[in-house]
Amino acid sequence: MELNAADEQTAVVSALCAGLLGSVNESLGAPMAPAWEAAIRGVPRHVFLPGTVWTGDDLVECSRETDPEDWLRHAYADTAVVTQINDGRAVEEDGRWASCSASAPSIVFRMLDLLDVRAGHRVLEIGTGTGWNAALLAHRLGPGRVTTIEVDPALAARATASLEGAGLGARVIQGDGARGHAADGPYDRVIATCSVRTVPPAWIAQTRPGGVVLVPWDSPWFCYGLLRLTVDGYGGASGFFSPHSAFMLLRGQRTDLRIYRDVVDDDHVPVESTTRLSPGAVAGEDWSAQFAIGLQLPHVWRTWHDDPDVEGVASRLWLAGTDATSWAAVDLDGRTGDHFTVWEHGPRRLWEAVEAAYGWWREAGRPGPERFGMTVTPDGAHVPWLDTPDSPVPVLL
């Protein structure tokens, strides 16, 4: 018996979904819970993706209209796909940059597992995006149990249409996710699909005592980690980090600083020194070191400048305060062995602070993100700690 086009499409999607399940289970190291397996089968990912997506570091455009097979392949790969660029505006001089994405399915289900939803729970999601994550939650919990907030009107409208088409009963609110949505609360669980540098107080205030707030974490130094907070009922919350994830920042917490435009001035006369700490040790492949430095220096950001057009310098690590008043640059020049040239300007010695933060992390036994935690106090202070809340992490700048 020959299959018609609709049956062929269904068979292809079923096969791709089965392949995605296998990839996700392999990434998680164990089979996902049966309820989530039913959700991934019952809520096809491709239904929630726009007709054009962008893939890879170069943001290569892929259109369902011109290349349906490749588009469908990306829809069921265990990778993130960008679903909006430049906040939906025309491409600017700086080119394309990602402003919304559909997260890799393995991190989606890792977060859903950490969220630990139960029958009868009410969930608030911050960052609707495509609507797929809200759809999975609504499939699991049933109609009227999921409220999701999206700041971008175009994204909110598209997600609303997709969710209504799926008939899942999730409510989409277009607005500022940092404010939450008290009308549908209190919630048993709050989950953000955007990263934060501070947890908005509304998310804690709108969560029941004993409830969970799960957020991807970001510091200006390094975007990495998931923070799972348990709300204490007195206006605060506390919990551990775990590894994984790198999400786009909550739009209200974005900063737009550039070294040559906002920080370094031609009139600056920097102080020169040397260091034995390689810039690669603090801003390279060691993600645990970077995470720890970010907790200690929550107001310092960094960026690499490869081939800076300086004789003998292969690359340069720039550091700056988020207030743009102090900066430092450390050169990888290949000429001084285990010594590296440091240039600093401004009222604070940023590289000295980085050396202290890295030294503390080494003395602590090089802990990974899973040994760190955070307490958010009723007055909004964020207090990082190592292993237990009574062992605070030193915050240096």
Side-chain angles (χ1 to χ4, degrees):
M1 180 181 69
E2 292 186 5
L3 297 176
N4 59 35
D7 289 336
E8 287 183 0
Q9 174 79 354
T10 300
V12 168
V13 169
S14 179
L16 288 170
C17 186
L20 177 58
L21 271 168
S23 297
V24 171
N25 288 338
E26 182 178 356
S27 179
L28 298 179
M32 69 174 64
W36 290 126
E37 181 174 340
I40 199 174
R41 293 185 183 278
V43 184
R45 189 181 188 226
H46 76 278
V47 171
F48 290 83
L49 293 184
T52 298
V53 298
W54 294 264
T55 64
D57 293 337
D58 296 331
L59 295 180
V60 177
E61 184 174 306
C62 179
S63 169
R64 177 175 52 196
E65 182 177 347
T66 58
D67 195 347
E69 290 186 6
D70 199 41
W71 181 90
L72 197 61
R73 178 178 62 83
H74 286 299
Y76 287 95
D78 188 19
T79 57
V81 293
V82 172
T83 56
Q84 185 196 67
I85 59 174
N86 298 66
D87 285 342
R89 298 189 294 268
V91 175
E92 303 168 352
E93 291 183 4
D94 290 340
R96 295 173 173 176
W97 50 274
S99 54
C100 183
S101 68
S103 301
S106 56
I107 191 60
V108 168
F109 286 98
R110 190 180 298 277
M111 291 180 68
L112 291 175
D113 184 58
L114 284 170
L115 195 63
D116 190 26
V117 296
R118 312 285 178 87
H121 275 176
R122 301 181 67 84
V123 177
L124 173 65
E125 178 194 46
I126 312 299
T128 311
T130 66
W132 189 53
N133 200 69
L136 294 168
L137 282 163
H139 188 281
R140 173 80 180 262
L141 295 172
R145 293 287 172 179
V146 177
T147 300
T148 179
I149 307 177
E150 173 56 54
V151 69
D152 188 293
L155 295 177
R158 190 184 186 285
T160 298
S162 297
L163 286 163
E164 288 180 350
L168 293 167
R171 183 180 184 186
V172 180
I173 304 296
Q174 193 276 307
D176 182 2
R179 299 178 181 177
H181 187 69
D184 288 349
Y187 303 95
D188 301 280
R189 300 289 187 265
V190 173
I191 181 172
T193 60
C194 51
S195 62
V196 298
R197 293 175 177 174
T198 58
V199 179
W203 299 358
I204 295 174
Q206 294 172 19
T207 304
R208 298 182 189 276
V212 170
V213 177
L214 180 66
V215 297
W217 188 252
D218 180 283
S219 72
W221 191 268
F222 191 51
C223 178
Y224 186 62
L226 294 168
L227 176 59
R228 188 182 192 274
L229 297 168
T230 299
V231 174
D232 60 20
Y234 300 97
S238 188
F240 276 95
F241 288 96
S242 65
H244 315 292
S245 93
F247 282 73
M248 296 172 193
L249 196 60
L250 182 74
R251 290 195 184 184
Q253 295 187 11
R254 285 178 180 174
T255 54
D256 181 22
L257 290 173
R258 304 182 191 182
I259 288 292
Y260 291 114
R261 186 190 69 187
D262 305 309
V263 180
V264 178
D265 191 276
D266 290 341
D267 295 334
H268 289 172
V269 180
V271 175
E272 180 181 354
S273 63
T274 61
T275 180
R276 299 190 69 172
L277 176 60
S278 168
V282 298
E285 298 300 320
D286 195 328
W287 290 11
S288 293
Q290 292 204 67
F291 180 82
I293 290 169
L295 287 180
Q296 295 175 79
L297 305 176
H299 303 295
V300 180
W301 60 283
R302 55 85 176 172
T303 186
W304 283 100
H305 186 181
D306 294 324
D307 299 320
D309 196 24
V310 178
E311 183 179 356
V313 178
S315 61
R316 173 174 285 172
L317 176 65
W318 286 98
L319 291 62
T322 54
D323 61 2
T325 62
S326 301
W327 61 264
V330 188
D331 290 342
L332 280 172
D333 53 29
R335 298 181 301 174
T336 53
D338 60 353
H339 288 73
F340 306 90
T341 303
V342 180
W343 311 90
E344 292 188 276
H345 181 271
R348 293 172 294 175
R349 291 292 176 255
L350 300 185
W351 184 250
E352 182 178 316
V354 169
E355 289 182 316
Y358 182 76
W360 177 89
W361 174 74
R362 290 189 59 185
E363 288 295 321
R366 301 174 178 264
E370 67 282 352
R371 285 184 56 193
F372 289 95
M374 178 78 74
T375 295
V376 182
T377 65
D379 63 2
H382 286 57
V383 183
W385 38 266
L386 179 65
D387 294 329
T388 61
D390 57 3
S391 298
V393 171
V395 177
L396 305 176
L397 287 177

